[in-house]
Amino acid sequence: MAYNLLKGKKGIIFGALDENSIAWKTAERVHEEGGEFVLTNAPVAMRMGQINALAEKTGSQIIPADATSEEDLQNLVEQSMEILGGKLDFVLHSIGMSINVRKGKHYTDQNYAWTQKGTDVSAMSFHKVMQTLYKADAMNEWGSIVALTYMAAQRVFPDYNDMADNKAYLESIARSFGYFFGRDKKVRVNTISQSPTPTTAGSGVKGFDGFLAYADKMSPLGNATAMDCANYTVTLFSDLTKRVTLQNLYNDGGFSNMGVSDAVMDTFVDKQ
């Protein structure tokens, strides 16, 4: 059901790869709620995905951009404002990558060149995106910037590897830059800590099925889906959350406040 929550609002959505991705679902929901946007992803990711189909479905234009490149980001922001006819109201950062995870390198045996590349893509890119927007004065007052994160920034999930460090850095950037964006531009910056979600990227983490099953058993409402995250993001882009900023917001079925659940205990205790 659509409520016209984003009618007249314009923005940029980073990271839509295929129909399993949260950014893809978010783009669909933003479109349904009346928002207009430019889609962007790194050229290599675009070759792997089906972003053209999403652009056609939502009537959007695509601007390829490497989010680690300041030059690419400046071009993206300038072109987006030209295409959309003015300043932006929302931005979604849905980007993450670990070469160590992809190549099966253990956390205690990292290739540091790969680690630095993953940090640049997964976290530093968020600072670069916001710095570009800030310097260009590209956001309307009461605009909203959202990045996606995961609970491994706060708790140990061994197989999440260096992505846990990247997410912790991402959340810190959201708070620190969010202060200046709020003070100077009246723009909100938040992160959404999402349940493990079977996206193309997420499924590449070793033991992902275990992540998924454990979180579902721990959470009183079960795991939040990609569509649940898209709906939550829409609320953060809307005017209904104008004073919500600097927050790491959990969309995880209650997982973040659980110590243990009956369902998990039942797997360890033999019932007589």
Side-chain angles (χ1 to χ4, degrees), residues 98 100-102 104-110 150-166 204-208 210-212 214 255:
S98 167
N100 284 306
V101 169
R102 191 184 302 160
K105 292 288 284 184
H106 195 268
Y107 186 76
T108 60
D109 184 33
Q110 291 187 34
Y150 180 54
M151 169 61 78
Q154 285 81 37
R155 300 184 189 177
V156 177
F157 290 83
D159 291 329
Y160 205 62
N161 208 309
D162 57 331
M163 276 302 298
D165 301 333
N166 294 337
V205 176
K206 180 183 175 184
F208 179 78
F211 275 134
L212 201 66
Y214 173 71
F255 177 88

Short mmCIF file of all heavy atoms in Angstrom, two decimals, residues 98 100-102 104-110 150-166 204-208 210-212 214 255:
data_model
loop_
_atom_site.label_atom_id
_atom_site.label_comp_id
_atom_site.label_asym_id
_atom_site.label_seq_id
_atom_site.Cartn_x
_atom_site.Cartn_y
_atom_site.Cartn_z
N SER A 98 34.01 -6.92 1.06
CA SER A 98 35.25 -7.36 1.70
C SER A 98 35.92 -8.39 0.80
O SER A 98 35.38 -9.46 0.56
CB SER A 98 34.98 -8.00 3.07
OG SER A 98 36.13 -8.68 3.53
N ASN A 100 38.67 -9.85 1.63
CA ASN A 100 39.09 -10.92 2.54
C ASN A 100 38.01 -11.98 2.69
O ASN A 100 38.29 -13.18 2.68
CB ASN A 100 39.47 -10.34 3.91
CG ASN A 100 40.81 -9.66 3.91
OD1 ASN A 100 41.82 -10.24 3.50
ND2 ASN A 100 40.84 -8.40 4.34
N VAL A 101 36.76 -11.52 2.84
CA VAL A 101 35.64 -12.47 2.94
C VAL A 101 35.49 -13.23 1.63
O VAL A 101 35.35 -14.46 1.61
CB VAL A 101 34.33 -11.72 3.27
CG1 VAL A 101 33.13 -12.65 3.10
CG2 VAL A 101 34.37 -11.18 4.70
N ARG A 102 35.53 -12.50 0.53
CA ARG A 102 35.32 -13.12 -0.78
C ARG A 102 36.40 -14.17 -1.08
O ARG A 102 36.12 -15.21 -1.68
CB ARG A 102 35.33 -12.03 -1.86
CG ARG A 102 34.88 -12.51 -3.24
CD ARG A 102 35.01 -11.39 -4.25
NE ARG A 102 34.25 -10.20 -3.89
CZ ARG A 102 34.48 -9.00 -4.38
NH1 ARG A 102 35.46 -8.82 -5.26
NH2 ARG A 102 33.74 -7.97 -4.02
N GLY A 104 38.16 -15.78 1.22
CA GLY A 104 38.28 -16.78 2.28
C GLY A 104 39.44 -16.57 3.22
O GLY A 104 39.90 -17.51 3.88
N LYS A 105 39.92 -15.32 3.34
CA LYS A 105 41.00 -15.02 4.28
C LYS A 105 40.44 -14.84 5.68
O LYS A 105 39.50 -14.07 5.89
CB LYS A 105 41.74 -13.74 3.86
CG LYS A 105 42.53 -13.88 2.58
CD LYS A 105 43.79 -14.72 2.76
CE LYS A 105 44.88 -13.96 3.48
NZ LYS A 105 46.13 -14.76 3.58
N HIS A 106 41.00 -15.54 6.65
CA HIS A 106 40.53 -15.48 8.03
C HIS A 106 40.83 -14.11 8.64
O HIS A 106 41.79 -13.42 8.23
CB HIS A 106 41.19 -16.58 8.86
CG HIS A 106 40.52 -16.82 10.18
ND1 HIS A 106 40.90 -16.18 11.33
CD2 HIS A 106 39.48 -17.62 10.52
CE1 HIS A 106 40.15 -16.58 12.34
NE2 HIS A 106 39.27 -17.46 11.87
N TYR A 107 40.05 -13.71 9.65
CA TYR A 107 40.24 -12.41 10.29
C TYR A 107 41.64 -12.27 10.87
O TYR A 107 42.20 -11.17 10.93
CB TYR A 107 39.20 -12.21 11.38
CG TYR A 107 39.23 -10.83 12.00
CD1 TYR A 107 38.70 -9.73 11.32
CD2 TYR A 107 39.80 -10.61 13.25
CE1 TYR A 107 38.73 -8.45 11.87
CE2 TYR A 107 39.85 -9.33 13.81
CZ TYR A 107 39.31 -8.26 13.12
OH TYR A 107 39.35 -7.01 13.67
N THR A 108 42.22 -13.39 11.33
CA THR A 108 43.56 -13.35 11.93
C THR A 108 44.68 -13.47 10.89
O THR A 108 45.86 -13.55 11.25
CB THR A 108 43.72 -14.49 12.95
OG1 THR A 108 43.53 -15.75 12.28
CG2 THR A 108 42.69 -14.36 14.07
N ASP A 109 44.32 -13.48 9.62
CA ASP A 109 45.31 -13.64 8.56
C ASP A 109 44.91 -12.78 7.36
O ASP A 109 44.85 -13.24 6.23
CB ASP A 109 45.40 -15.12 8.15
CG ASP A 109 46.48 -15.38 7.10
OD1 ASP A 109 47.52 -14.68 7.13
OD2 ASP A 109 46.27 -16.27 6.24
N GLN A 110 44.67 -11.49 7.64
CA GLN A 110 44.17 -10.61 6.59
C GLN A 110 45.26 -10.20 5.61
O GLN A 110 46.43 -10.08 5.96
CB GLN A 110 43.58 -9.34 7.21
CG GLN A 110 42.30 -9.57 7.99
CD GLN A 110 41.68 -8.26 8.43
OE1 GLN A 110 41.75 -7.25 7.74
NE2 GLN A 110 41.05 -8.26 9.59
N TYR A 150 25.05 -3.51 10.15
CA TYR A 150 24.71 -4.82 10.71
C TYR A 150 25.22 -4.90 12.15
O TYR A 150 26.21 -4.25 12.52
CB TYR A 150 25.30 -5.94 9.85
CG TYR A 150 24.99 -7.33 10.37
CD1 TYR A 150 23.67 -7.71 10.62
CD2 TYR A 150 26.00 -8.25 10.63
CE1 TYR A 150 23.39 -8.98 11.10
CE2 TYR A 150 25.73 -9.52 11.10
CZ TYR A 150 24.42 -9.87 11.34
OH TYR A 150 24.13 -11.12 11.83
N MET A 151 24.56 -5.73 12.94
CA MET A 151 24.84 -5.90 14.36
C MET A 151 26.29 -6.29 14.67
O MET A 151 26.78 -6.07 15.79
CB MET A 151 23.88 -6.97 14.91
CG MET A 151 24.18 -7.47 16.30
SD MET A 151 24.10 -6.19 17.53
CE MET A 151 22.34 -6.04 17.73
N ALA A 152 27.00 -6.83 13.69
CA ALA A 152 28.41 -7.21 13.92
C ALA A 152 29.28 -6.02 14.27
O ALA A 152 30.42 -6.19 14.70
CB ALA A 152 28.96 -7.94 12.70
N ALA A 153 28.76 -4.80 14.08
CA ALA A 153 29.49 -3.62 14.52
C ALA A 153 29.54 -3.53 16.04
O ALA A 153 30.43 -2.86 16.60
CB ALA A 153 28.84 -2.35 13.96
N GLN A 154 28.60 -4.19 16.72
CA GLN A 154 28.54 -4.15 18.19
C GLN A 154 28.89 -5.49 18.85
O GLN A 154 29.35 -5.52 19.99
CB GLN A 154 27.13 -3.76 18.67
CG GLN A 154 26.80 -2.29 18.52
CD GLN A 154 26.37 -1.95 17.11
OE1 GLN A 154 25.70 -2.73 16.46
NE2 GLN A 154 26.76 -0.78 16.64
N ARG A 155 28.62 -6.59 18.17
CA ARG A 155 28.83 -7.91 18.76
C ARG A 155 29.67 -8.77 17.83
O ARG A 155 29.73 -8.52 16.64
CB ARG A 155 27.48 -8.59 19.01
CG ARG A 155 26.59 -7.81 19.96
CD ARG A 155 25.31 -8.55 20.25
NE ARG A 155 24.37 -7.71 20.99
CZ ARG A 155 23.15 -8.10 21.33
NH1 ARG A 155 22.71 -9.30 20.98
NH2 ARG A 155 22.36 -7.28 21.99
N VAL A 156 30.29 -9.80 18.40
CA VAL A 156 31.19 -10.64 17.62
C VAL A 156 30.43 -11.69 16.82
O VAL A 156 29.68 -12.50 17.37
CB VAL A 156 32.21 -11.35 18.54
CG1 VAL A 156 33.11 -12.27 17.73
CG2 VAL A 156 33.04 -10.32 19.30
N PHE A 157 30.62 -11.64 15.51
CA PHE A 157 30.16 -12.68 14.60
C PHE A 157 31.40 -13.11 13.81
O PHE A 157 31.77 -12.45 12.83
CB PHE A 157 29.07 -12.16 13.66
CG PHE A 157 27.76 -11.87 14.34
CD1 PHE A 157 27.56 -10.67 15.01
CD2 PHE A 157 26.73 -12.81 14.34
CE1 PHE A 157 26.36 -10.39 15.65
CE2 PHE A 157 25.53 -12.55 14.98
CZ PHE A 157 25.34 -11.35 15.63
N PRO A 158 32.09 -14.17 14.25
CA PRO A 158 33.43 -14.47 13.75
C PRO A 158 33.57 -14.49 12.23
O PRO A 158 34.56 -13.97 11.70
CB PRO A 158 33.72 -15.85 14.35
CG PRO A 158 32.92 -15.88 15.60
CD PRO A 158 31.66 -15.13 15.28
N ASP A 159 32.61 -15.06 11.53
CA ASP A 159 32.76 -15.20 10.09
C ASP A 159 32.42 -13.92 9.32
O ASP A 159 32.61 -13.87 8.10
CB ASP A 159 31.88 -16.35 9.58
CG ASP A 159 32.40 -17.70 10.04
OD1 ASP A 159 33.63 -17.83 10.21
OD2 ASP A 159 31.59 -18.62 10.26
N TYR A 160 31.97 -12.88 10.03
CA TYR A 160 31.69 -11.61 9.36
C TYR A 160 32.99 -10.86 9.05
O TYR A 160 33.01 -9.92 8.28
CB TYR A 160 30.74 -10.76 10.20
CG TYR A 160 29.94 -9.76 9.41
CD1 TYR A 160 29.04 -10.17 8.43
CD2 TYR A 160 30.07 -8.40 9.63
CE1 TYR A 160 28.29 -9.26 7.69
CE2 TYR A 160 29.33 -7.47 8.91
CZ TYR A 160 28.45 -7.91 7.94
OH TYR A 160 27.71 -7.01 7.22
N ASN A 161 34.06 -11.31 9.73
CA ASN A 161 35.41 -10.90 9.36
C ASN A 161 35.59 -9.38 9.45
O ASN A 161 35.02 -8.73 10.33
CB ASN A 161 35.72 -11.43 7.95
CG ASN A 161 37.20 -11.68 7.69
OD1 ASN A 161 38.03 -10.84 7.94
ND2 ASN A 161 37.50 -12.86 7.19
N ASP A 162 36.36 -8.80 8.52
CA ASP A 162 36.66 -7.37 8.59
C ASP A 162 35.47 -6.49 8.23
O ASP A 162 35.51 -5.27 8.46
CB ASP A 162 37.87 -7.01 7.73
CG ASP A 162 37.71 -7.39 6.26
OD1 ASP A 162 36.99 -8.36 5.96
OD2 ASP A 162 38.32 -6.74 5.40
N MET A 163 34.39 -7.09 7.72
CA MET A 163 33.19 -6.30 7.49
C MET A 163 32.63 -5.75 8.79
O MET A 163 32.00 -4.69 8.80
CB MET A 163 32.12 -7.13 6.77
CG MET A 163 32.27 -7.19 5.27
SD MET A 163 32.26 -5.55 4.47
CE MET A 163 30.62 -4.97 4.90
N ALA A 164 32.85 -6.44 9.91
CA ALA A 164 32.40 -5.94 11.21
C ALA A 164 33.09 -4.62 11.54
O ALA A 164 32.46 -3.67 12.02
CB ALA A 164 32.68 -6.98 12.30
N ASP A 165 34.39 -4.55 11.28
CA ASP A 165 35.14 -3.31 11.52
C ASP A 165 34.64 -2.20 10.59
O ASP A 165 34.50 -1.04 10.99
CB ASP A 165 36.63 -3.54 11.28
CG ASP A 165 37.21 -4.62 12.17
OD1 ASP A 165 36.67 -4.83 13.27
OD2 ASP A 165 38.19 -5.26 11.76
N ASN A 166 34.38 -2.57 9.35
CA ASN A 166 33.88 -1.58 8.38
C ASN A 166 32.55 -1.00 8.83
O ASN A 166 32.31 0.22 8.71
CB ASN A 166 33.72 -2.23 7.00
CG ASN A 166 35.04 -2.66 6.39
OD1 ASN A 166 36.10 -2.13 6.75
ND2 ASN A 166 35.00 -3.61 5.49
N GLY A 204 27.36 -14.16 0.48
CA GLY A 204 28.76 -14.52 0.27
C GLY A 204 29.54 -14.70 1.55
O GLY A 204 30.68 -15.17 1.53
N VAL A 205 28.95 -14.35 2.70
CA VAL A 205 29.63 -14.49 3.99
C VAL A 205 29.59 -15.96 4.41
O VAL A 205 28.55 -16.61 4.36
CB VAL A 205 28.95 -13.62 5.06
CG1 VAL A 205 29.60 -13.84 6.42
CG2 VAL A 205 29.03 -12.15 4.67
N LYS A 206 30.75 -16.48 4.83
CA LYS A 206 30.84 -17.87 5.28
C LYS A 206 29.84 -18.12 6.41
O LYS A 206 29.71 -17.31 7.33
CB LYS A 206 32.26 -18.17 5.76
CG LYS A 206 32.46 -19.59 6.26
CD LYS A 206 33.88 -19.77 6.79
CE LYS A 206 34.06 -21.16 7.41
NZ LYS A 206 35.40 -21.31 8.02
N GLY A 207 29.12 -19.24 6.34
CA GLY A 207 28.17 -19.60 7.37
C GLY A 207 26.93 -18.74 7.38
O GLY A 207 26.24 -18.65 8.40
N PHE A 208 26.61 -18.11 6.23
CA PHE A 208 25.48 -17.17 6.21
C PHE A 208 24.17 -17.84 6.59
O PHE A 208 23.34 -17.25 7.29
CB PHE A 208 25.34 -16.52 4.83
CG PHE A 208 24.18 -15.56 4.74
CD1 PHE A 208 24.30 -14.28 5.28
CD2 PHE A 208 22.97 -15.94 4.18
CE1 PHE A 208 23.24 -13.40 5.25
CE2 PHE A 208 21.91 -15.05 4.14
CZ PHE A 208 22.04 -13.78 4.67
N GLY A 210 23.70 -20.09 8.69
CA GLY A 210 23.67 -20.17 10.14
C GLY A 210 23.31 -18.83 10.77
O GLY A 210 22.52 -18.76 11.72
N PHE A 211 23.90 -17.73 10.24
CA PHE A 211 23.52 -16.38 10.67
C PHE A 211 22.01 -16.22 10.59
O PHE A 211 21.35 -15.77 11.53
CB PHE A 211 24.11 -15.33 9.71
CG PHE A 211 25.51 -14.89 10.00
CD1 PHE A 211 26.43 -14.80 8.96
CD2 PHE A 211 25.91 -14.52 11.26
CE1 PHE A 211 27.72 -14.37 9.20
CE2 PHE A 211 27.20 -14.08 11.51
CZ PHE A 211 28.11 -14.01 10.47
N LEU A 212 21.48 -16.56 9.44
CA LEU A 212 20.07 -16.34 9.14
C LEU A 212 19.17 -17.13 10.09
O LEU A 212 18.23 -16.58 10.68
CB LEU A 212 19.81 -16.76 7.68
CG LEU A 212 18.58 -16.21 6.98
CD1 LEU A 212 18.70 -14.70 6.80
CD2 LEU A 212 18.43 -16.88 5.61
N TYR A 214 19.94 -18.59 13.04
CA TYR A 214 20.11 -18.20 14.43
C TYR A 214 19.36 -16.91 14.75
O TYR A 214 18.63 -16.82 15.75
CB TYR A 214 21.60 -18.03 14.74
CG TYR A 214 21.88 -17.46 16.12
CD1 TYR A 214 21.66 -18.23 17.26
CD2 TYR A 214 22.35 -16.16 16.27
CE1 TYR A 214 21.91 -17.72 18.52
CE2 TYR A 214 22.61 -15.64 17.53
CZ TYR A 214 22.39 -16.42 18.65
OH TYR A 214 22.63 -15.90 19.89
N PHE A 255 16.03 -8.75 17.67
CA PHE A 255 17.27 -9.49 17.93
C PHE A 255 18.23 -8.72 18.82
O PHE A 255 18.85 -9.27 19.74
CB PHE A 255 17.96 -9.83 16.61
CG PHE A 255 19.28 -10.53 16.76
CD1 PHE A 255 19.34 -11.91 16.86
CD2 PHE A 255 20.47 -9.81 16.82
CE1 PHE A 255 20.57 -12.56 17.02
CE2 PHE A 255 21.70 -10.44 16.98
CZ PHE A 255 21.74 -11.83 17.07
#
